[in-house]
Amino acid sequence: MSDNAAHLSDPEPDGILSRVPYARTLSDELADELGRYRQLLDCVQAIVWRGNAQTFQFTFVSPYAETLLGYPVQRWLRDPAFWREHIHPEDRDWAVHFCAKATREKKSHEFDYRMMAADGKVVWLHGVVHVLVEDGQASELIGIMIDITEKKQAEEALRRGEDRLRKVVDVIPQQIWSCAPDGTLDFCNERWRSELGLTLEEGQGDGWQTILHPDDRQRVLTDWHESVTNGTPYEQEERHRMRDGQYRWFLSRGVPLRDSERQIVRWYGTNTDIDDQKRAREALQKSERRWRGVFDNSKIGVALQDSSLRYVDANAAFCQIVGYRLDELQKMTCLDITYEEDRERYKAIIKELTSGKRNHFDLEKRYRRRDGELVWSRINGSSVGTADSPLWVVMAEDITKRKRLADELHHERDRLQLLLDLNHRFISKLDVREFFHALMDGIRLMAGWQWASILLPEPSSDRLSVYLSSDNSYLREGYTLPIDGSLQGKVYRSAKPVAFRIEDLPGLCPVYRDNDWMQQITNAEHVRAGCALPLIHEGRVIGVLFLMTRVALDPVKSDLNFLQELASLVTATLHNSLRFESVNESRAKLLTEREYIESDFLRERGIADIIGDSPGIIEVLKQVRAVAPTDSTVLITGETGTGKELIARAIHGRSPRHDHSFIKVDCAAIPASLLESELFGHEKGAFTGATTQKPGRFELADHGTLFLDEVGDIPLELQPKLLRVLQDHAFERVGSNRLRQVDVRIIAATNRNLETMVETGKFREDLYYRLRVFPIVIPPLRERAEDIPALVRHYVENYARRMRKPVTEIPAEAMETFVRYPWPGNVRELQHFIERAVILSPGHTLDAPLAELTATIQRIQAAYEKPSRHGTLREIEREAILQALLESNWVVGGPHGAAAKLGLRRTTLSSRMEKLGISRPRR
């Protein structure tokens, strides 16, 4: 139960209890009753509220308000204008008007309106307002707000659907109508009204009967009344009088719609204009006697189609070509038996014919016979009808055998062309992946191989690894197979190709007899056959090319000669590419490492040795000397600016790896979307913008040290991959399945409390303990003030030399101020302050801007020595931070976060929160 809900039980001097004489004697019972009401309000999935009838300021709001709209309940109670300001602008005036009207009339009201939720969404609410009247005046308003967003969205969707449906019905190129269960017309679409010249009112009752041709009227009415009486579908050819007074033939259909009890609730029907077809059939009957003999006895297939492309007639030769009887063809259109891949081209020709752009055609196309076989035909056709009733005569010749011979010649030519193209790529390209894709495109197009993979032996292993694979293959890149027991391993050992059908695999390799692999692949991908070819270079098998297809090929008829020629090209390209890839990758790694180290050297050129002899620094250096000779993972913690990177470099410099690279990764400075690529590298084309292959920081740090600065900012989804590298010393580049081994020492640093992050689920516990093998905590500068004079002298000397200034003397007052100042930014802040002081110093004496440091020191002393009326400095600081966090909804960073409101950096505020024990409360 939230605090505001407790208002229900607060005793009020002028409340209800004071007007009941025996109320105090029943206080315990009333408290129990109010407790039950509070529990009830907590469970109600609606906003229950109470407010002032005059100002509309809420005095009570149930906790569900925060669940539904996202605003804290205290904002409802604290801000008098909160409710008005968060009503949707379009609903604000009349919603307020309704509440005012309820107050004025002292009556309850209900209304729907919208409010803006905290996340910007619009929420529909059904509000019920009830007025409490006291002494004849409206004293309070009570009410409830119910979420009806889904209902409103459904109503809007239904309205749009009805509008769309009406528009669709009006543009349908048919006359659409509906009737009541007794057959009375109650709807007709725009085409019905415009073509027949009747309005809906004129067509109701017996009015629609006036459009019927006198010779058809009795027949139509008899059949219609019989359908209405028996509830059977209606279908009839009939003549209707059009707007211009002419009669046209229509095919009228009507079907009943029944409810769950099989009672007719409505009739729906269509009128389709068939006048042109009727006239065409009449014309055809007149001319049929003149050409029937020639038509039936022709050796060339001849067919007749009407304007709807339906077959009207066909001779025996045509029926034999397409494999259908005449009665079957008369129920079909020419597109029904046209091969699927030829339909679009044929539709384009039909469109030109029907539009009058041509009256003749001559082309080659394929028919799908009734038995499923494809037959090639050369067809030509021309118009034999009238403009009002066109008919098309089509003559077809079976050219399947001729096309088969031509296809075989083309196929042979394409195979030779493929070999020529691949040979050209082999000569001009060293990219085996590009060559493999070209090979895949060629064999998929010409030979029907849907899957291909190249397998290479793993070094010092008895397994084959998939080096390259087509995207749709079940053998993914990086997948491994045993050499002994697999078909690919058999080909690798024997150096002999094997063509097979899926059902032959158990006989070729006994391992498949009790393995469900064959059944899984067969069912999932419909694989029917395959081929495995050895890749032989200079008499030695260097890999296997594995192909599979959905076509049930006969291994005896497989073109192994052609495939072996392809395998030879693959072998040569693969051999050269692997050598080039190895040399090029080593060269790229060296160049990248050199560029990184050079830039890193320039960036860190001004860093001095570790300075200080305080107990805290002596302890840190003792730990550095102890852990440096080992390969253990080190976790360095401390506030921002304490010199964590300097300690990491000291560990590397004193380790056996000091002759190798020290690679730094600032995990907080790299966007989360790019951090994985930065750490592990990526392959060309792995993502948008990856135009080249790039090694990651782990590869650059191989045999050296990798420094993960701000490790607490690594995204949670990337932490498992980092853990894997720490445990197995292996990783995969982005966009690659190839496993790469590295020998890298990890040093991590952070200014965040990783233990707290582990507790809140923001950092993996296993990764934390894997990093925290040897923890080193660097004390802040304020805890080792005795080191400040040495640091000041060092930085003064360093910057004076770099800026060529004669600054050599440091005033005692300045040094005392430096020692007293708390340096929240630690050594980094001190370094930058001294640099600025050297710049401002015109002579031999350091002229530091001490005023700003002195003001801070005095402010801190005054706060601690003289507690304010509001509490100590620590309490004031804690209160200010909590207020900023509440105003920013516990967002720490960003332009609107608490750090920006307080004028602090995000890391500084996080550190202060940890010291003051501030954490976001759990709900």
Side-chain angles (χ1 to χ4, degrees), residues 334-335 337-350 363-368 374-377:
C334 60
L335 293 176
I337 61 173
T338 300
Y339 180 51
E340 295 81 1
E341 294 183 4
D342 296 345
R343 286 180 182 172
E344 292 302 321
R345 180 169 60 98
Y346 199 43
K347 285 180 181 179
I349 294 175
I350 292 171
L363 57 93
E364 293 180 357
K365 62 174 288 190
R366 287 166 288 185
Y367 287 113
R368 174 76 75 179
L374 289 179
V375 57
W376 272 99
S377 295

Side-chain angles (χ1 to χ4, degrees), residues 667 672 675-676 679-680 698 708 710-728 730-731 750 752-771:
C667 302
L675 185 57
E676 182 178 7
L679 288 174
F680 307 110
F698 270 96
L708 299 177
E710 300 298 346
V711 70
D713 289 321
I714 293 181
L716 194 60
E717 62 271 14
L718 189 56
Q719 293 178 20
K721 192 168 184 179
L722 177 59
L723 179 63
R724 178 187 177 188
V725 183
L726 294 176
Q727 292 174 339
D728 303 336
F731 68 94
T750 182
R752 305 179 69 176
N753 190 330
L754 294 186
E755 292 183 0
T756 302
M757 294 180 67
V758 169
E759 293 175 359
T760 58
K762 297 180 180 178
F763 201 85
R764 290 179 63 98
E765 183 178 15
D766 47 5
L767 177 58
Y768 170 65
Y769 289 114
R770 191 65 184 81
L771 292 173

Side-chain angles (χ1 to χ4, degrees), residues 242-500:
M242 309 302 287
R243 178 185 290 273
D244 59 4
Q246 300 295 320
Y247 284 94
R248 293 184 66 83
W249 280 98
F250 284 84
L251 176 62
S252 182
R253 291 190 176 98
V255 293
L257 175 66
R258 301 178 184 273
D259 59 16
S260 59
E261 297 180 357
R262 305 299 298 165
Q263 298 297 317
I264 296 176
V265 295
R266 187 173 296 278
W267 286 83
Y268 291 100
T270 60
N271 296 336
T272 306
D273 191 334
I274 59 171
D275 194 73
D276 294 340
Q277 293 92 318
K278 294 282 286 187
R279 297 179 188 277
R281 285 198 293 271
E282 292 174 359
L284 182 62
Q285 292 172 359
K286 293 179 182 179
S287 61
E288 184 178 2
R289 290 188 299 272
R290 294 194 294 269
W291 63 278
R292 174 57 64 180
V294 176
F295 178 80
D296 288 338
N297 297 307
S298 173
K299 299 300 181 181
I300 301 294
V302 183
L304 192 67
Q305 299 170 198
D306 60 18
S307 60
S308 65
L309 307 182
R310 191 177 297 275
Y311 287 105
V312 177
D313 207 344
N315 68 353
F318 188 86
C319 293
Q320 184 177 1
I321 291 174
V322 299
Y324 287 93
R325 301 191 309 270
L326 175 60
D327 61 321
E328 293 173 331
L329 284 175
Q330 288 176 337
K331 300 175 183 178
M332 307 168 71
T333 69
C334 60
L335 293 176
D336 293 334
I337 61 173
T338 300
Y339 180 51
E340 295 81 1
E341 294 183 4
D342 296 345
R343 286 180 182 172
E344 292 302 321
R345 180 169 60 98
Y346 199 43
K347 285 180 181 179
I349 294 175
I350 292 171
K351 185 176 181 180
E352 293 182 0
L353 292 171
T354 55
S355 64
K357 292 183 178 180
R358 65 158 72 186
N359 58 6
H360 179 78
F361 62 90
D362 190 341
L363 57 93
E364 293 180 357
K365 62 174 288 190
R366 287 166 288 185
Y367 287 113
R368 174 76 75 179
R369 291 171 55 87
R370 183 179 183 181
D371 57 9
E373 181 184 353
L374 289 179
V375 57
W376 272 99
S377 295
R378 182 177 185 86
I379 64 171
N380 62 76
S382 57
S383 175
V384 296
T386 63
D388 296 334
S389 182
L391 289 173
W392 302 95
V393 60
V394 177
M395 290 179 286
E397 178 187 3
D398 189 348
I399 59 171
T400 304
K401 292 182 179 179
R402 188 194 315 166
K403 292 291 291 185
R404 187 176 295 118
L405 291 174
D407 288 345
E408 290 177 359
L409 291 175
H410 286 307
H411 185 63
E412 184 65 25
R413 184 196 64 188
D414 291 342
R415 292 199 305 179
L416 295 175
Q417 185 64 45
L418 174 61
L419 290 174
L420 182 62
D421 291 344
L422 292 177
N423 187 62
H424 174 72
R425 288 178 181 269
F426 162 66
I427 294 173
S428 60
K429 300 286 185 181
L430 289 173
D431 189 343
V432 68
R433 188 173 294 275
E434 181 180 341
F435 177 87
F436 179 76
H437 288 320
L439 170 70
M440 210 41 245
D441 292 341
I443 64 175
R444 184 185 291 119
L445 179 64
M446 289 182 293
W449 299 100
Q450 284 84 23
W451 297 274
S453 301
I454 295 177
L455 297 94
L456 302 180
E458 288 192 334
S460 304
S461 176
D462 57 352
R463 301 184 70 84
L464 292 174
S465 174
V466 180
Y467 178 69
L468 289 173
S469 183
S470 54
D471 294 338
N472 59 347
S473 175
Y474 81 97
L475 290 175
R476 301 297 183 188
E477 293 182 8
Y479 184 74
T480 62
L481 295 172
I483 295 178
D484 295 329
S486 66
L487 176 65
Q488 296 88 341
K490 180 178 180 180
V491 172
Y492 178 77
R493 295 277 196 215
S494 65
K496 295 180 180 179
V498 174
F500 62 90

